[in-house]
Amino acid sequence: MSSNLRIAPTDPFPEDLEELKDEKLQVLDSQVQRQLDHEIINEGEPNPETEFRHQELDEEFEHRDN
């Protein structure tokens, strides 16, 4: 991992988000959001893998809210 505050596109990512407890999912979401911000600031656009991970997390949160 590039930093414990961010999760780079090349860092391992859980295959099944349903298995994660809420707290771990929230931490992972924060790491992905920070990575998105970092990419946009430094590269001008997000990496497609980071965008995909962000979308996956959003879907998991929506699933848990229902």
Side-chain angles (χ1 to χ4, degrees):
M1 191 175 309
S2 58
S3 164
N4 61 350
L5 297 177
R6 293 183 281 119
I7 183 168
T10 56
D11 291 336
F13 192 78
E15 289 286 325
D16 187 2
L17 297 176
E18 289 182 17
E19 295 179 1
L20 299 179
K21 293 184 179 184
D22 288 347
E23 182 179 294
K24 177 64 178 165
L25 191 69
Q26 290 171 348
V27 169
L28 190 59
D29 184 56
S30 293
Q31 290 172 320
V32 169
Q33 185 61 54
R34 286 185 188 104
Q35 182 65 28
L36 273 174
D37 294 344
H38 175 78
E39 291 169 2
I40 290 169
I41 290 168
N42 292 299
E43 300 166 23
E45 63 183 13
N47 182 291
E49 179 64 23
T50 304
E51 283 187 307
F52 178 74
R53 291 174 173 189
H54 188 252
Q55 182 181 5
E56 278 190 304
L57 286 161
D58 284 348
E59 289 172 5
E60 180 60 27
F61 280 119
E62 286 179 25
H63 174 74
R64 291 184 186 202
D65 283 343
N66 292 329

